Amino acid sequence: VLYRQSVSTPRALIPATWPLWVQTRPRFRLDATVLLSARGGNQAVMAEVAEATGAMEWIAKILGYGILASNTTLKVPQIRKVVQAKATTGLSAMALYLDVFLYLNAAMYNITMGNPLSAWGELLIVIVQNVALVLLLWRYSLPAPSLAAKAGAVLMLAAHVAISLNLPPGYRYLLPTLNLPCMIITRIAQIRKNMVNGHTGLLSTTSLVMNISTVLVRVFTTVVLVGWDWNILRAYGLSVTSNGVLLGQIAYYGANTSKVMAEQGQGDEKKGR
């Protein structure tokens, strides 16, 4: 099977000293008909291959829009837990802030690269849900962030969007590349918090499972609809791994988490009296 180059990012502006894995590689899309045509392939066979490729793209589009629809509730279990408890117990503030940055970065990259909405549209929905979690953090965390800190976060977010949308083509690879260390930091922050606390607090199993499932399907839709864009695929691999570790912690600390949350509920009842 032959893959044709669909997108190539100029490397002239990429520092030669950067590691090879950081540098943007050309993206390739499946096109077996190119190989068959080059070898004087049978027209009937070429037509069947083209039809199969087209069917695969339709399947990827259907799955993509299905993910877009299902992700309208991706963070809802986590949001519901926080609202019901009126607390952010066990949640890392750094992880919540960086989640907004990560999803925003990924969305900006797809927009500037002109990728089809069916390949990434759910990112916009998840960004809104992540912002909602940050607002809940500001509402229920003790001590609450200052007004200056909140204003600074909003200004930084707006500046990041403006800069991302105006990046020259040769620098767009920086958006998903920056996501890798940020994703490692945010997940380590949450994993470490769980280890220090000895429980996972209000961390939602449902949201993590939905996230892993979405990413696994997204690998297929990205390869078919966008191509072998390793800037995106590397982030998917890291996401599945880190969220899998968090799921393992939920299982490992399950008994202690139930005990801690029950004690917190009893404490809240006493305060209410």
Side-chain angles (χ1 to χ4, degrees):
V1 178
L2 184 69
Y3 290 85
R4 68 163 177 248
Q5 182 174 334
S6 61
V7 178
S8 181
T9 303
R11 293 193 186 184
L13 299 177
I14 301 177
T17 55
W18 280 43
L20 182 62
W21 68 270
V22 172
Q23 300 184 27
T24 303
R25 293 176 174 81
R27 297 184 299 173
F28 296 86
R29 293 191 62 190
L30 176 64
D31 193 354
T33 57
V34 175
L35 179 60
L36 291 173
S37 177
R39 295 183 177 180
N42 184 284
Q43 292 297 318
V45 175
M46 290 175 61
E48 290 181 6
V49 172
E51 184 178 347
T53 304
M56 191 181 300
E57 290 187 356
W58 272 107
I59 292 172
K61 287 181 179 179
I62 292 171
L63 287 173
Y65 284 118
I67 289 174
L68 200 157
S70 66
N71 271 249
T72 54
T73 60
L74 178 65
K75 300 283 185 172
V76 170
Q78 186 67 78
I79 293 171
R80 185 186 298 118
K81 276 193 167 188
V82 174
V83 171
Q84 289 175 346
K86 291 183 172 55
T88 56
T89 306
L91 299 182
S92 166
M94 181 182 291
L96 293 180
Y97 287 133
L98 284 179
D99 262 353
V100 174
F101 177 80
L102 289 170
Y103 280 92
L104 186 62
N105 247 11
M108 292 300 101
Y109 177 72
N110 280 282
I111 290 172
T112 56
M113 294 299 290
N115 293 335
L117 187 66
S118 57
W120 62 273
E122 76 281 356
L123 295 175
L124 299 176
I125 298 172
V126 179
I127 288 170
V128 173
Q129 295 174 25
N130 282 334
V131 169
L133 281 170
V134 169
L135 293 176
L136 288 172
L137 174 73
W138 290 352
R139 171 68 178 83
Y140 294 122
S141 64
L142 295 173
S146 65
L147 182 60
K150 295 176 184 177
V154 173
L155 288 175
M156 287 178 63
L157 192 67
H160 177 65
V161 172
I163 293 171
S164 299
L165 291 176
N166 290 283
L167 276 177
Y171 283 102
R172 290 173 185 164
Y173 74 96
L174 289 173
L175 294 173
T177 300
L178 286 174
N179 270 8
L180 297 178
C182 288
M183 190 180 298
I184 292 172
I185 292 171
T186 185
R187 293 301 180 259
I188 288 179
Q190 184 64 66
I191 291 168
R192 181 178 180 279
K193 188 176 183 70
N194 295 340
M195 293 175 66
V196 171
N197 290 343
H199 64 83
T200 55
L202 295 171
L203 201 61
S204 172
T205 303
T206 305
S207 290
L208 287 172
V209 170
M210 289 177 65
N211 189 287
I212 291 174
S213 302
T214 295
V215 171
L216 290 176
V217 176
R218 269 292 170 227
V219 171
F220 170 74
T221 61
T222 297
V223 170
V224 175
L225 298 175
V226 175
W228 289 89
D229 189 331
W230 290 102
N231 290 316
I232 298 176
L233 296 176
R234 278 193 296 263
Y236 285 161
L238 184 57
S239 176
V240 170
T241 302
S242 57
N243 284 324
V245 172
L246 289 174
L247 274 179
Q249 286 189 312
I250 289 177
Y252 183 76
Y253 294 118
N256 201 38
T257 298
S258 299
K259 180 181 177 181
V260 170
M261 298 313 297
E263 291 174 353
Q264 179 176 310
Q266 291 173 1
D268 292 340
E269 288 179 7
K270 291 179 180 179
K271 289 179 182 179
R273 295 172 188 172

